Amino acid sequence: MTAADPALPDAPFFILGAHGSGSTLLRLMLDSHERLAVPQETGVMRLVTAHSWVPFWEFGGEWAERLELTPAELDRRLGEFYGALFSRYAARRGKQRWGDKTPFHVWHVDEIRRVFPSAVFVVIVRHPLGSIASAVRRFDRRLQKATGHWLDTTRELVRQAQQLDAGQMCFVRYEDLIRDPEPTMRELLAWLGEPWSETVLAHHEVQRAQDAPKVVEGGTRPTEAVDASRVERWRDWLGEEDRRYVEEQALPWARLLGYDPDPSVAPQRLTPSDRDRLFVTTAAELSERRKRFTDLDPTPPERPGADDPILPRGRRRRRIALRRAGSARSEMARELLSRLPPSLQRSVREVRRAHRRRQQG
């Protein structure tokens, strides 16, 4: 695909972003399109992850192999099953295409691509001061934890962008969405391969007509219109000392996304000057820009434990399970082992080394 290619028509799409980035607003706007259905957060990919290991069982990584399922066939059947559930949801609303918005799906991009090979990703980012302040206020998080979440999520999304091409992932900034909603949504719908619809700008009216809940995920009120003044809300929630902390930790990555230290300043253009797009940046374009920021840490962030397979309780049983996984000889077992998150793969290697030392000593 080239940088100008839109996403595949009717491909499922996944909205990704850090907490407090505006992903719920974007979900509501896309869900108001006549063809698109995006439910409240489902967390479905943690269910998919659970299929790789029967929870709390030392033989949990072997169940599919015992049914003579290859990893590819398992992925295909999981995609058919869960895709049918989303398609049912869309059809009941008279829609033709489904999407999902769950923030922690940031950590499941590789799995999504295996289970839904045609899937595309819409990433929404926000200035760290605005995103972190929103997370502190709405999710009752400590400043340090909220800042760490923004950093880890941003680093993982940038890393994933380097693995994908222009038609598989794009980036939208919250500030552009609420300051220039129509041109931003026009570009986004064009990238998704969807026709323009005025309804995405009237999501508050559409959601009210659909009897949407008064409050949805993140405490968002779906019947509230887009409000550009929200860019400045962070000033009510972060003091000077908190602001300095966030700037020290997050500004290097914020600059990659085109942000000025002050969120009130319009962000820089991220797309090349020869492109018609101003507000939607493809994965390829962001990856090319990333090459200029050589001071940024290239190390992949640690995946949260909540998004790992659920291993047996207790140190001894966990060690046994990991040792069995590490000593697996079949193709299926090796394939499943390679799909474990890096943190679990490190645990497997440590358990195997400890086991060898005991045998030798």
Side-chain angles (χ1 to χ4, degrees):
M1 293 182 181
T2 67
D5 286 336
L8 293 173
D10 297 328
F13 58 95
F14 289 77
I15 302 171
L16 308 176
H19 290 301
S21 63
S23 58
T24 301
L25 172 62
L26 182 57
R27 175 185 79 79
L28 293 168
M29 295 177 77
L30 288 173
D31 181 62
S32 299
H33 191 283
E34 293 90 346
R35 281 181 36 85
L36 308 178
V38 193
Q40 293 192 59
E41 296 171 10
T42 66
V44 67
M45 291 312 298
R46 283 188 180 171
L47 290 174
V48 173
T49 298
H51 285 285
S52 67
W53 196 296
V54 177
F56 305 125
W57 190 31
E58 65 186 81
F59 301 99
E62 301 176 15
W63 76 271
E65 183 180 6
R66 295 177 179 185
L67 290 175
E68 299 180 351
L69 284 169
T70 65
E73 185 177 5
L74 178 60
D75 288 338
R76 180 176 61 80
R77 290 185 178 276
L78 290 174
E80 291 172 353
F81 175 73
Y82 287 110
L85 298 183
F86 279 92
S87 295
R88 172 186 176 276
Y89 175 85
R92 287 170 64 88
R93 283 153 182 77
K95 307 292 186 77
Q96 291 74 45
R97 186 177 183 183
W98 63 266
D100 174 88
K101 191 281 290 189
T102 303
F104 59 70
H105 283 170
V106 166
W107 304 102
H108 296 267
V109 172
D110 292 336
E111 292 159 289
I112 292 170
R113 293 173 64 196
R114 290 198 306 266
V115 175
F116 303 107
S118 64
V120 296
F121 304 91
V122 178
V123 177
I124 183 165
V125 296
R126 184 177 182 180
H127 194 289
L129 286 169
S131 181
I132 292 167
S134 178
V136 168
R137 177 179 177 271
R138 293 193 295 138
F139 302 108
D140 195 26
R141 289 188 170 181
R142 298 191 307 276
L143 181 70
Q144 291 77 10
K145 184 175 181 180
T147 303
H149 168 78
W150 186 91
L151 279 169
D152 287 347
T153 299
T154 300
R155 290 170 59 200
E156 176 63 10
L157 288 169
V158 172
R159 185 185 74 83
Q160 289 291 349
Q162 295 173 293
Q163 317 299 318
L164 303 174
D165 64 26
Q168 293 176 301
M169 177 179 280
C170 74
F171 287 72
V172 176
R173 289 181 296 210
Y174 172 78
E175 291 79 7
D176 294 331
L177 181 64
I178 64 173
R179 285 171 171 155
D180 296 286
E182 181 171 340
T184 300
M185 291 302 293
R186 281 185 179 275
E187 289 184 9
L188 179 57
L189 287 173
W191 183 86
L192 283 169
E194 294 293 339
W196 168 248
S197 173
E198 295 285 348
T199 59
V200 299
L201 302 180
H203 78 275
H204 53 297
E205 298 174 358
V206 174
Q207 297 295 323
R208 184 181 294 112
Q210 294 176 349
D211 293 325
K214 291 183 179 180
V215 178
V216 293
E217 60 266 38
T220 301
R221 296 186 179 277
T223 56
E224 290 184 354
V226 174
D227 181 2
S229 69
R230 291 181 180 274
V231 171
E232 304 296 331
R233 289 280 183 89
W234 69 272
R235 298 183 189 277
D236 298 329
W237 304 330
L238 293 183
E240 188 60 32
E241 184 177 345
D242 291 342
R243 172 177 178 166
R244 287 197 299 269
Y245 175 81
V246 172
E247 289 176 340
E248 179 182 343
Q249 299 294 319
L251 272 185
W253 286 91
R255 291 191 179 98
L256 169 64
L257 301 173
Y259 287 117
D260 186 87
D262 185 352
S264 299
V265 177
Q268 299 174 1
R269 176 175 178 166
L270 297 180
T271 57
S273 58
D274 61 345
R275 302 282 159 74
D276 293 334
R277 286 176 286 101
L278 292 175
F279 303 110
V280 171
T281 305
T282 67
E285 290 164 348
L286 188 69
S287 296
E288 189 63 28
R289 177 179 171 86
R290 169 70 177 85
K291 296 176 183 178
R292 305 203 300 268
F293 291 76
T294 56
D295 58 323
L296 296 178
D297 183 6
T299 307
E302 190 77 11
R303 176 168 165 152
D307 293 286
D308 289 348
I310 303 175
L311 296 176
R313 291 190 178 97
R315 292 183 180 179
R316 180 175 176 276
R317 296 191 67 199
R318 181 183 176 90
R319 284 199 303 270
I320 292 173
L322 289 174
R323 187 166 67 243
R324 291 183 63 87
S327 62
R329 291 181 174 83
S330 71
E331 180 182 354
M332 175 69 175
R334 287 194 299 271
E335 174 69 17
L336 289 175
L337 176 61
S338 71
R339 294 183 177 190
L340 293 178
S343 57
L344 278 181
Q345 292 191 39
R346 286 193 293 272
S347 296
V348 168
R349 290 193 291 269
E350 291 169 2
V351 169
R352 293 178 67 181
R353 284 194 292 267
H355 182 60
R356 284 197 297 268
R357 286 196 297 267
R358 285 195 297 272
Q359 288 180 322
Q360 295 169 358

